[in-house]
Amino acid sequence: MEQWDAYDQSGDKLPGYLVRDQPIPQGCYHLVAEVLVRHTDGSYLLMQRSLKKKMEAGKFEASAGGSALQGESAIAAATRELQEETGITAPQAMTELFRTVDKNTIYVQFLCITDQAKRDIRLQAGETCAFRWLKAQDFKAFMNSDQAILSQVDRLKGYLNTL
């Protein structure tokens, strides 16, 4: 049973906890950390979701990410998810790009710049089935395709406009 801390809309921790796959009470939010990965050569990492996933199966994510576990900070969740889903060890400092609230979720988006060999990306069984690296302009164009996850594209619009 996966448990999450409960937060108010401002990101302040509330008493109690939430449980994955259980309804989230009104006024409560859970924390999701996402990591956009840019290689030192300027290309961006896309991870293809497993074809067995319930939601967005086979689509490409411009991040590694997931829910912060109970007692876990956004940066700790981002570091864990990055390692689990890509095999990339986070550098000492990742840059927080933004926070946004959507429905019952607080999203915290980080940027990780890595020099890890591109071929060394590890896929996580049940989560991802493929990956690709795209140059900045190709990445921006891809994020406007039907292979990208629309909700993620919406969250990344401000960043994509800087490319």
Side-chain angles (χ1 to χ4, degrees):
M1 175 173 67
E2 186 174 308
Q3 295 178 338
W4 307 325
D5 288 320
Y7 295 88
D8 66 18
Q9 189 171 5
S10 299
D12 295 321
K13 202 179 289 189
L14 298 171
Y17 60 90
L18 305 170
V19 178
R20 177 183 284 286
D21 296 326
Q22 297 295 315
I24 295 176
Q26 188 171 351
C28 288
Y29 299 81
H30 80 292
L31 185 64
V32 170
E34 296 182 316
V35 184
L36 180 63
V37 178
R38 186 175 74 210
H39 197 271
T40 52
D41 71 4
S43 61
Y44 288 86
L45 177 63
L46 292 167
M47 302 296 292
Q48 186 177 20
R49 291 174 60 85
S50 168
L51 301 176
K52 296 178 181 178
K53 296 289 280 184
K54 290 179 189 175
M55 294 177 12
E56 308 288 4
K59 295 226 175 176
F60 282 83
E61 295 181 273
S63 71
S67 296
L69 303 174
Q70 189 172 19
E72 194 173 45
S73 67
I75 190 68
T79 300
R80 175 182 53 77
E81 290 285 350
L82 182 64
Q83 177 67 40
E84 288 175 357
E85 294 183 8
T86 68
I88 295 173
T89 300
Q92 290 287 51
M94 286 192 282
T95 304
E96 183 177 320
L97 296 176
F98 60 84
R99 291 176 182 239
T100 188
V101 177
D102 184 25
K103 299 179 184 157
N104 57 10
T105 305
I106 299 170
Y107 291 94
V108 183
Q109 183 74 48
F110 294 93
L111 175 65
C112 169
I113 300 173
T114 185
D115 63 356
Q116 179 172 316
K118 291 178 172 183
R119 67 183 176 282
D120 289 345
I121 297 301
R122 276 196 337 251
L123 302 176
Q124 183 181 17
E127 291 290 327
T128 56
C129 60
F131 69 91
R132 63 173 66 158
W133 291 92
L134 295 177
K135 293 180 182 178
Q137 289 308 313
D138 295 332
F139 170 69
K140 186 175 180 177
F142 181 86
M143 291 302 286
N144 289 312
S145 77
D146 62 356
Q147 290 185 354
I149 298 172
L150 184 58
S151 60
Q152 189 177 63
V153 172
D154 287 343
R155 287 192 299 278
L156 286 171
K157 269 186 185 168
Y159 182 81
L160 292 170
N161 289 335
T162 67
L163 299 180

